Amino acid sequence: MKKLILIFIILSACSTPNSRSDAYYEAVAGHIAQTVLSGDCNSKCISSIVSSDLKHATYMQAINVIDKVSKLLPSIYDAIKKELVVRVDEKYKKEIIK
């Protein structure tokens, strides 16, 4: 029952706007369902996949916020925007490498 609930949560999270492509999430959800049902993937495996996607979602949201704020600022602050994007990129890349 827990496995079905987890699969449902993953599938529903995959349908949010501003997310990765539908094909990506269909492949990930299919892979998780297949490995969970076959017993090849434990909770640590699923946790790793979900953690990776959460890091990507956080990264995308940070970039979206920076973009929205920069539209409200005068052009003088373009350098600040570029610096913030670089910092967010660096932090995301460090998180991926871990």
Side-chain angles (χ1 to χ4, degrees):
M1 186 65 179
K2 288 182 181 180
K3 291 178 183 178
L4 291 175
I5 293 172
L6 179 63
I7 291 171
F8 175 75
I9 291 171
I10 291 171
L11 289 175
S12 66
C14 296
S15 63
T16 60
N18 294 329
S19 62
R20 293 182 181 181
S21 71
D22 290 338
Y24 169 81
Y25 281 115
E26 287 175 9
V28 169
H31 176 70
I32 290 173
Q34 180 183 8
T35 54
V36 167
L37 294 176
S38 69
D40 293 339
C41 190
N42 57 18
S43 62
K44 195 175 204 178
C45 170
I46 295 169
S47 176
S48 172
I49 294 168
V50 171
S51 175
S52 174
D53 279 350
L54 286 174
K55 287 176 185 175
H56 181 266
T58 303
Y59 166 75
M60 291 306 296
Q61 288 300 323
I63 293 297
N64 286 338
V65 167
I66 291 169
D67 190 46
K68 287 179 183 179
V69 168
S70 71
K71 289 178 183 176
L72 300 174
L73 297 174
S75 61
I76 297 171
Y77 297 107
D78 282 344
I80 294 172
K81 176 188 173 189
K82 289 176 186 175
E83 178 65 28
L84 289 173
V85 169
V86 168
R87 287 183 186 182
V88 169
D89 283 342
E90 288 173 356
K91 184 171 181 160
Y92 176 65
K93 288 173 186 175
K94 285 179 185 177
E95 289 293 322
I96 289 177
I97 295 174
K98 285 185 181 179

